[in-house]
Amino acid sequence: MIEAIIFWILAAGVVGCATCVVLPPFGRNPLHAALALIGTFFCMAGIYVLLAAHLMAALQVIVYAGAVMVLFIFVIMLLNLREEGPNM
């Protein structure tokens, strides 16, 4: 019974974080969208743990949430994406 409750909490976390990636207000800021994607990856890792796929959970955290998202955030910071007004 407790596993089903934890699963539904993690599933709601996956759906909630994934919608925050694309919908405003998080979707307008690339850094906030990347952080919401990290939350999605961690919730997915929790679902893998519930499925007894511990290797997949560890790979999800290490590869996706660790390496790939650090690279995404580094590129976002390097590009320095700011909304600039019209030049007058």
Side-chain angles (χ1 to χ4, degrees):
M1 180 66 186
I2 190 73
E3 293 164 349
I5 294 171
I6 294 172
F7 171 78
W8 286 109
I9 291 171
L10 288 172
V14 167
V15 172
C17 289
T19 55
C20 285
V21 172
V22 294
L23 294 178
F26 288 107
R28 293 183 191 262
N29 189 344
L31 183 61
H32 292 160
L35 292 175
L37 192 59
I38 290 174
T40 303
F41 290 152
F42 276 109
C43 289
M44 283 298 300
I47 290 176
Y48 288 145
V49 168
L50 286 177
L51 293 172
H54 301 289
L55 177 66
M56 278 302 297
L59 289 175
Q60 179 83 19
V61 170
I62 292 169
V63 173
Y64 287 114
V68 174
M69 290 312 299
V70 166
L71 179 66
F72 283 178
I73 292 174
F74 179 73
V75 168
I76 289 169
M77 295 293 188
L78 185 67
L79 290 177
N80 196 10
L81 298 173
R82 290 188 190 159
E83 289 187 27
E84 296 181 10
N87 295 330
M88 290 186 174

